[in-house]
Amino acid sequence: MLKYIVSISLALAVIACGGKQPNKYAAKIDGEAIFKKYCVTCHGVDGKLKLNGAKDLSISQLSLAEKVIQVTKGKNTMTPFEGILSPPEIQAVAEYTITLIKK
Ligand code: HEC
């Protein structure tokens, strides 16, 4: 499992650093893809699954900055993603969770 996580992280690092336009790589990060890979296990595709005590993201009141902190540091049974995702990836996935609220 750890090997699996490490290889995913390496693959993402290669994708993130591979472009020839280093200042534009953040725009290419797909928050939705990250969400579907790392977050749906507890939050579900629509954010409403609430498995393992997870919060319903479609009614979350947290600001973007607070979501970024919580994804980075984790909370209770939520995994801290700071060793798994890069800060721009965490930013992208936190922004994606906001789109779940509008639906
Ligand atoms: C292992 C299960 C698990 C995974 C995986 C997980 N979460 Fe969570 N998440 C939780 C739990 C549990 C909470 C509630 C924590 C608490 O407040 O006690 C939570 C809460 C949150 C909140 C705060 C919602 C609110 O209004 O309080 C956000 C935002 C969030 N998760 C985003 C994410 C994102 C983005 C990912 C993927 C990068 C993710 N989570 C992956 C379990 C998980």
Side-chain angles (χ1 to χ4, degrees):
M1 184 60 191
L2 186 63
K3 259 188 175 172
Y4 182 59
I5 291 170
V6 167
S7 57
I8 288 174
S9 306
L10 285 175
L12 286 171
V14 169
I15 291 164
C17 306
K20 290 192 172 174
Q21 298 165 303
N23 294 329
K24 292 190 176 170
Y25 77 99
K28 289 181 193 162
I29 297 175
D30 186 346
E32 181 174 3
I34 296 170
F35 187 82
K36 286 181 175 157
K37 193 180 269 180
Y38 295 100
C39 319
V40 291
T41 35
C42 298
H43 290 287
V45 182
D46 57 2
K48 297 178 183 172
L49 187 63
K50 297 197 267 183
L51 211 72
N52 294 318
K55 294 270 169 76
D56 183 345
L57 297 181
S58 72
I59 56 163
S60 175
Q61 303 281 318
L62 296 183
S63 69
L64 177 60
E66 288 168 325
K67 288 178 209 277
V68 167
I69 291 168
Q70 183 156 332
V71 176
T72 306
K73 298 292 175 192
K75 189 174 177 189
N76 297 320
T77 48
M78 178 160 158
T79 326
F81 283 91
E82 59 188 340
I84 301 170
L85 298 173
S86 68
E89 287 167 341
I90 290 173
Q91 182 77 24
V93 76
E95 282 170 11
Y96 176 72
T97 66
I98 289 174
T99 69
L100 298 172
I101 299 171
K102 291 175 199 148
K103 282 180 187 165

